[in-house]
Amino acid sequence: MRLRALLDTDALGLRLLGGVDELDRSVRGVMTTDLRDPSRYLSGGELVLTGLAWRRDAADSEPFVRLLVQAGVAALAAGEAELGDVPEDLAAACARHRLPLFAVHESVAFATITEHVVRQVSGERAGDLAAVVDRHRRMMTSGPAGGGPDVVLDLLGSDLDLRAWVLSPTGRLVAGPKAAGPGLPAEVCAKLAAEHLAAVRTARRGPHRVNVGPVSYSLFPIRGGGRAPQVPQASQAVRDVRDVRESVLSDWLLAVEADAGEWADERLDLLQGVTQLIAVERERRDAARTVRRRLAQEVLELVQTGAAPAEIAARLRVAAPVLLPGLGAAPHWQVVVARVEWADSGLEAGPVAQSLLEEILVDPQAGGSEPSDRIAVAHTGDEAVALVPLPAVSSEHDGSETGVLADALLAAVREPLSAGLDGDGRLTLGVSAAVHSAEGLRGALEEARHARRVAAARPGRVCAAGHQELASHVLLLPFVPDDVRRAFTARLLDPLRDYDRRHRAELIPTLEAFLDCDGSWTRCASRLHLHVNTLRYRVGRIEQLTGRDLSRLEDKLDFFLALRMS
């Protein structure tokens, strides 16, 4: 707002004492002070209100005014309640430094002026930002992107003092304000994504408010199609559950560091407009993935129909430059298979799995709305299949792991996606080893699918398995029938459990440690902080209760498998 507008409001009781030529200055805020040096609390553009308690004699006015001018304040308003008329020495100092000076009538409280200025400045900021947002929306829908989500988030920070970030459903930081300092920590991003998914699944009215430690956040959905985010009403929840499931695992969200519970409707509408603007950028990103999806679909169909390796290799040569621009030769490839399963078997889950797998396979450290996706994802039925190119595979040379690792995928997405799937959904992932040619791609697909079935046999909403697990007993255990599993473990372990319950003998933990130490008496005794004779007594009791001999390899293996299946 302008200083001139303050004089036009009679209720403020302001009288201009000097600076008539400076009334077009902008006021960005207001501060009340009686400190002799308030400069450390000033950022520029404020209307400073003072009761003059800092003034002991006429010599104090000049340094006080000089400090205000150096801090870049817009004007000074002095109250008449303490000294009556504003001192002439203060008016003279303001005139020398061209600082507008107002007198505040003793009947007017500083709080009244503060409230008026804050309300006017906030309203003007909101109006300015709304105009900027509208301009950017037109730019982004009719031509090249106007800077992407980062530009809009910077505007939120500069014009409304709101720090905000765009997150993917897996908690990946898509965009943030460049001037806001460090980005959100990964654990905070995962927490916010989890809370958002849980809120959407339960049809809670948005924006969703979340506290992470002492900080409050308000979460706004960013949905495709440029639609304004609408949270289903209670009467619509049953009808809309299908739509929620089809989008909840792929929608972005806007996390604002503020509690929106007391916001005015105008500010809420403004943030909804920001989400629509970012949704346009999301649609552009999705459109760019169309080529990669088509390439993946063509390769998948060739592999599944048993096409000649030469034909598959030709298609891969086309895909490689698209996924890895500038790469001279076709890379090695990995296959990742994902499946989303809902309790409602009639829900089409393939597209959901496709969108979700595209998000999961983006490097969690890669920021931005288009982080150079190096994947191509197709879907068939309820399954999504990703082709992941690897520029180099060094595992043949140094034994190190490269490419996509099942454990890393699981750790990155388990928390948020478990919340989004809670109640009636599951996500299972399988990861193949790298293959070096088109001939190996069919085997890699089968390997990834088999690994996914191993993951599906495990408990939990989000599970993953990798190719490493297919060469061990872990591959066999999930497929043992439940009744056989229960009978086998009961026969070996129930006597030990019963004994532990009655005597607190800790035979089961002792057995686990003994097997983990490869039957070494000294290492196991050291791990359990026991004397070796005590350990020998416990192992002897285990053998007596079960009729087994822990010096025999066969009995050790049976106990090992029983513990794994229990």
Side-chain angles (χ1 to χ4, degrees):
M1 65 178 301
R2 305 289 181 182
L3 287 174
R4 190 180 307 279
L6 296 174
L7 293 174
D8 297 335
T9 307
D10 294 338
L12 300 183
L14 294 177
R15 180 164 49 90
L16 183 66
L17 300 181
V20 65
D21 295 332
E22 307 293 333
L23 291 180
D24 285 329
R25 290 187 181 184
S26 296
V27 179
R28 295 176 52 192
V30 63
M31 177 188 176
T32 299
T33 184
D34 276 311
L35 295 173
R36 295 173 66 84
D37 180 5
S39 58
R40 74 187 72 176
Y41 305 110
L42 296 168
S43 57
E46 295 92 348
L47 170 65
V48 174
L49 305 175
T50 181
L52 300 176
W54 50 268
R55 182 181 178 278
R56 298 188 182 93
D57 55 45
D60 292 335
S61 293
E62 171 65 23
F64 180 79
V65 172
R66 185 168 62 250
L67 289 169
L68 296 186
V69 172
Q70 290 172 350
V73 303
L76 174 65
E80 296 179 326
E82 183 72 20
L83 301 178
D85 293 337
V86 176
E88 291 185 2
D89 50 90
L90 180 60
C94 288
R96 281 194 297 274
H97 292 280
R98 299 176 63 85
L99 180 66
L101 176 64
F102 297 92
V104 183
H105 193 271
E106 62 182 5
S107 64
V108 178
F110 283 174
T112 300
I113 300 174
T114 299
E115 181 180 354
H116 176 81
V117 172
V118 169
R119 186 169 58 248
Q120 291 297 117
V121 170
S122 297
E124 290 180 4
R125 284 180 176 176
D128 290 345
L129 183 58
V132 173
V133 168
D134 184 64
R135 182 170 67 251
H136 273 261
R137 181 186 293 112
R138 291 196 302 270
M139 290 173 60
M140 295 176 73
T141 54
S142 61
D150 294 322
V151 172
V152 182
L153 300 183
D154 282 334
L155 289 170
L156 284 175
S158 62
D159 288 26
L160 286 184
D161 297 323
L162 291 176
R163 282 163 38 100
W165 299 265
V166 177
L167 305 179
S168 79
T170 62
R172 182 177 66 87
L173 184 62
V174 175
K178 296 178 181 177
L184 285 179
E187 59 273 16
V188 175
C189 291
K191 174 70 172 176
L192 294 179
E195 293 287 344
H196 169 74
L197 291 174
V200 173
R201 285 297 311 279
T202 55
R204 279 163 40 198
R205 186 182 300 275
H208 312 124
R209 285 171 283 165
V210 178
N211 291 324
V212 180
V215 183
S216 295
Y217 297 89
S218 296
L219 310 179
F220 296 79
I222 299 173
R223 299 208 171 119
R227 296 180 282 114
Q230 298 293 330
V231 177
Q233 302 293 329
S235 61
Q236 297 174 315
V238 175
R239 295 198 305 272
D240 290 347
V241 68
R242 180 178 299 272
D243 293 337
V244 169
R245 292 182 192 178
E246 288 177 348
S247 62
V248 68
L249 297 180
S250 57
D251 285 342
W252 287 351
L253 67 135
L254 178 69
V256 182
E257 190 181 288
D259 187 341
E262 303 299 326
W263 282 5
D265 290 342
E266 293 79 8
R267 179 168 283 208
L268 287 172
D269 289 343
L270 176 59
L271 266 294
Q272 301 288 17
V274 169
T275 65
Q276 293 179 62
L277 179 58
I278 297 173
V280 174
E281 186 71 7
R282 171 69 188 274
E283 289 179 0
R284 178 174 285 106
R285 197 286 311 268
D286 287 344
R289 283 182 168 172
T290 301
V291 173
R292 293 189 288 273
R293 287 178 171 179
R294 187 172 64 248
L295 287 171
Q297 200 73 43
E298 291 174 354
V299 173
L300 178 61
E301 290 175 0
L302 290 174
V303 170
Q304 293 191 134
T305 57
E311 188 176 357
I312 300 174
R315 183 55 53 190
L316 290 177
R317 283 194 293 272
V318 172
V322 175
L323 300 177
L324 290 175
L327 192 66
H332 306 298
W333 299 89
Q334 267 183 294
V335 176
V336 180
V337 171
R339 188 181 184 94
V340 174
E341 298 171 288
W342 303 102
D344 176 6
S345 59
L347 183 65
E348 185 181 9
V352 178
Q354 181 183 41
S355 297
L356 184 56
L357 192 53
E358 287 171 335
E359 289 290 350
I360 290 174
L361 290 175
V362 172
D363 182 353
Q365 303 303 318
S369 57
E370 295 185 36
S372 301
D373 294 325
R374 295 187 171 187
I375 52 172
V377 184
H379 76 84
T380 172
D382 290 338
E383 180 184 75
V385 179
L387 295 175
V388 183
L390 304 177
V393 178
S394 60
S395 58
E396 296 178 346
H397 307 291
D398 58 15
S400 63
E401 292 288 348
T402 60
V404 178
L405 300 177
D407 289 345
L409 281 185
L410 190 60
V413 303
R414 180 192 281 119
E415 179 183 356
L417 294 185
S418 293
L421 292 160
D422 188 36
D424 63 348
R426 290 196 77 204
L427 168 67
T428 51
L429 297 162
V431 181
S432 79
V435 294
H436 308 162
S437 64
E439 289 86 346
L441 206 55
R442 182 175 181 84
L445 176 59
E446 291 305 316
E447 188 175 56
R449 283 174 168 165
H450 205 77
R452 192 207 64 77
R453 289 194 289 271
V454 170
R458 296 171 175 168
R461 292 289 170 191
V462 182
C463 300
H467 62 92
Q468 305 93 333
E469 301 176 61
L470 304 187
S472 77
H473 65 278
V474 177
L475 172 63
L476 303 176
L477 295 186
F479 302 103
V480 176
D482 288 342
D483 55 345
V484 175
R485 181 194 302 258
R486 285 191 295 268
F488 182 75
T489 58
R491 193 159 49 244
L492 280 173
L493 301 183
D494 279 1
L496 306 182
R497 292 182 179 129
D498 292 341
Y499 192 86
D500 281 347
R501 276 194 297 269
R502 293 196 309 269
H503 303 284
R504 298 182 181 179
E506 298 187 355
L507 296 185
I508 291 288
T510 300
L511 175 62
E512 291 174 332
F514 186 72
L515 294 175
D516 194 44
C517 291
D518 298 323
S520 170
W521 297 99
T522 54
R523 282 196 290 127
C524 183
S526 175
R527 175 180 295 189
L528 297 175
H529 305 290
L530 297 174
H531 192 278
V532 172
N533 288 340
T534 303
L535 175 60
R536 290 185 184 278
Y537 172 80
R538 289 188 183 180
V539 170
R541 179 63 67 182
I542 291 170
E543 292 174 334
Q544 180 184 7
L545 291 170
T546 60
R548 299 300 184 106
D549 182 356
L550 278 169
S551 66
R552 298 177 66 247
L553 176 61
E554 294 86 345
D555 287 345
K556 286 180 182 177
L557 180 59
D558 284 347
F559 278 122
F560 178 79
L561 293 175
L563 289 169
R564 281 299 183 97
M565 289 191 291
S566 64

